[in-house]
Amino acid sequence: MKEVYSKITALGVKVYLEEGVLKAKAPKGKICPDAIQLIKNNKEELIEYLTSKTVDKKVKRIDRSNNTERLYPLSFTQQSLWFIDKLHGGSAEYNMSVAYEIKPGLDIDLMKQVFNTIIKRHEVLRTVYVENDGEVNQYIRPMSEVNFEITFQDLSEYEEKQQAISNTIIAERNKAFDLAHDLMIRVSYVVSNQNKAVLVFSMHHIASDGWSIEVLAKEFFILYDAFRKGGGNPLQELRVQYVDYAHWQR
């Protein structure tokens, strides 16, 4: 988003926040169409970026120990994405999917252990969005309420294997998340033959972005390797969660 912000600035447009609302300013009659399009296409991300620029890097984790209901306000971006989803009655427009070609032989049970560790580590993946009296909040489900499953497909008997893999990826991309009930992550493991398999991660943009999905993949492979060797979780505990940022932003 820094690159987008720089492009807009280079086009002679100043973008800034005023009470949480994105504003743009340029010399009279000189705001170019390219800048307008960049702002329109990246509005919510620009709000997040401009807000984060003012965050005190030394801020400590917010103490949430007294919040027994586990209900928190949404960030501005989350609220916008939730509203769009509500307006459309559920939409796959903000699904984010990535597929990795790997060697087959992954242990399904071990994979589930890894993803449960990741879901426990990143609260936003087990967060649902609940509406009450016209107000929406994010509810972080405890792990006792989490039931994560991996979709497994064996295509070894299929003749058109590549087409079947493509169909799986497309179907994942087009399957809407239920923001009120679903985990914000889905995983499909597709075995094509003894030499090829595909691992598909899908997340909703309300819980992730392009950068975050790469972090997820990296953490998966680190944890899988560690658990396969009989070790523990080598990842350092996160100091803050996204909900802390949303609370600070509000």
Side-chain angles (χ1 to χ4, degrees), residues 110-163:
L110 191 57
M111 289 172 65
K112 288 180 64 175
Q113 181 185 351
V114 168
F115 279 108
N116 275 307
T117 301
I118 290 173
I119 291 167
K120 180 179 180 180
R121 172 177 169 80
H122 297 281
E123 293 177 351
V124 72
L125 297 178
R126 51 189 163 95
T127 295
V128 291
Y129 302 86
V130 295
E131 188 178 9
N132 185 33
D133 294 331
E135 181 179 0
V136 61
N137 286 283
Q138 49 182 322
Y139 168 66
I140 303 172
R141 289 186 289 182
M143 286 301 295
S144 60
E145 296 180 12
V146 170
N147 181 27
F148 175 79
E149 297 291 340
I150 296 171
T151 301
F152 173 72
Q153 283 185 279
D154 184 352
L155 304 179
S156 56
E157 301 299 322
Y158 283 67
E159 291 186 7
E160 298 293 335
K161 292 181 174 61
Q162 190 56 50
Q163 185 60 51

Side-chain angles (χ1 to χ4, degrees), residues 17 47-48 51-52 74-78 242 244-250:
L17 293 179
I47 292 174
E48 293 279 9
T51 303
S52 67
L74 278 62
S75 71
F76 297 132
T77 295
Q78 284 177 317
Y242 187 81
D244 300 323
Y245 166 73
H247 182 92
W248 172 88
Q249 188 185 58
R250 291 292 181 176

Side-chain angles (χ1 to χ4, degrees), residues 211-229:
W211 179 80
S212 300
I213 205 166
E214 292 299 325
V215 172
L216 168 75
K218 181 179 179 181
E219 290 187 356
F220 167 78
F221 290 113
I222 289 173
L223 287 169
Y224 187 90
D225 187 58
F227 291 170
R228 181 179 59 84
K229 294 176 180 177

Side-chain angles (χ1 to χ4, degrees), residues 102-105 154-156 161 165 190-197:
I102 58 175
K103 291 183 178 180
D154 184 352
L155 304 179
S156 56
K161 292 181 174 61
I165 291 173
V190 185
V191 175
S192 176
N193 53 46
Q194 61 181 0
N195 298 314
K196 179 180 177 180

Side-chain angles (χ1 to χ4, degrees), residues 7-160:
K7 286 181 179 179
I8 295 170
T9 303
L11 291 169
V13 180
K14 178 183 178 182
V15 286
Y16 60 98
L17 293 179
E18 188 174 290
E19 297 183 355
V21 177
L22 185 66
K23 301 284 188 177
K25 184 185 293 185
K28 188 175 181 180
K30 292 188 177 181
I31 184 166
C32 71
D34 287 345
I36 294 173
Q37 197 61 47
L38 280 171
I39 294 169
K40 285 183 177 180
N41 292 344
N42 300 276
K43 180 179 178 181
E44 303 305 330
E45 288 81 359
L46 282 168
I47 292 174
E48 293 279 9
Y49 175 72
L50 290 170
T51 303
S52 67
K53 284 184 69 176
T54 62
V55 174
D56 179 359
K57 301 301 182 181
K58 297 181 179 180
V59 66
K60 295 182 178 179
R61 183 187 177 96
I62 296 170
D63 185 3
R64 297 175 289 152
S65 60
N66 294 327
N67 191 339
T68 57
E69 294 184 351
R70 303 173 68 88
L71 288 172
Y72 302 91
L74 278 62
S75 71
F76 297 132
T77 295
Q78 284 177 317
Q79 189 170 40
S80 296
L81 291 169
W82 176 87
F83 178 77
I84 292 170
D85 185 82
K86 184 79 171 177
L87 190 66
H88 291 213
S91 170
E93 181 180 357
Y94 290 97
N95 283 12
M96 304 181 62
S97 298
V98 61
Y100 294 92
E101 185 175 322
I102 58 175
K103 291 183 178 180
L106 293 183
D107 185 305
I108 296 291
D109 290 334
L110 191 57
M111 289 172 65
K112 288 180 64 175
Q113 181 185 351
V114 168
F115 279 108
N116 275 307
T117 301
I118 290 173
I119 291 167
K120 180 179 180 180
R121 172 177 169 80
H122 297 281
E123 293 177 351
V124 72
L125 297 178
R126 51 189 163 95
T127 295
V128 291
Y129 302 86
V130 295
E131 188 178 9
N132 185 33
D133 294 331
E135 181 179 0
V136 61
N137 286 283
Q138 49 182 322
Y139 168 66
I140 303 172
R141 289 186 289 182
M143 286 301 295
S144 60
E145 296 180 12
V146 170
N147 181 27
F148 175 79
E149 297 291 340
I150 296 171
T151 301
F152 173 72
Q153 283 185 279
D154 184 352
L155 304 179
S156 56
E157 301 299 322
Y158 283 67
E159 291 186 7
E160 298 293 335

